[in-house]
Amino acid sequence: QVQLLESGGGLVQPGGSLRLSCAASGSIFSISGMGWYRQAPGKQRELVAAITSGGSTNYGDFVKGRFTISMDNAKNSVYLQMNSLKPEDTAVYYCKVDRVRVIGGYYEYDYWGQGTQVTVSS
């Protein structure tokens, strides 16, 4: 009932920038928030950044001011501006929608995108 379309990943040199986008579509009534998570080979998936519909944000400790998350409530979309990228940022980045309520539904569920590859290498 809900699909996430992610874009913006790719290959970038150290110190470069990328902007990830994620749009949720379907019979959506409301969303509590959206976020980005990443997973590198052999490692656990970890929070990169999250934002609520009210604008509150939460960042992973490794970000150190390099990344900025934003959300467009009208478009059910979330964006992640990544600057000063490092090789250790290389991972698959996954978009997540929190507590989605569909039209005519009773409960709220979380949904995940399929992921977009970010590779930071010279």
Side-chain angles (χ1 to χ4, degrees):
Q1 291 182 305
V2 177
Q3 298 82 40
L4 301 181
L5 179 60
E6 301 152 311
S7 62
L11 175 64
V12 65
Q13 293 184 348
S17 299
L18 285 173
R19 181 177 174 85
L20 304 184
S21 299
C22 176
S25 62
S27 301
I28 299 173
F29 178 76
S30 64
I31 293 174
S32 67
M34 302 182 74
W36 288 95
Y37 297 73
R38 72 184 188 186
Q39 187 168 20
K43 302 200 69 176
Q44 297 292 321
R45 188 171 299 185
E46 62 183 351
L47 170 71
V48 179
I51 185 170
T52 69
S53 296
S56 298
T57 59
N58 186 30
Y59 293 93
D61 292 337
F62 57 85
V63 172
K64 297 184 181 299
R66 298 181 297 127
F67 299 173
T68 302
I69 190 170
S70 60
M71 182 176 181
D72 187 333
N73 291 329
K75 298 180 179 179
N76 290 325
S77 299
V78 65
Y79 310 92
L80 183 67
Q81 179 66 47
M82 303 188 293
N83 300 322
S84 301
L85 285 163
K86 305 174 182 179
E88 50 263 43
D89 293 320
T90 297
V92 177
Y93 285 68
Y94 297 90
C95 178
K96 180 175 180 283
V97 185
D98 299 322
R99 300 182 64 182
V100 179
R101 180 175 293 179
V102 300
I103 297 175
Y106 295 97
Y107 305 103
E108 298 174 341
Y109 300 94
D110 296 341
Y111 293 88
W112 290 88
Q114 293 186 331
T116 182
Q117 178 71 45
V118 171
T119 302
V120 184
S121 177
S122 60

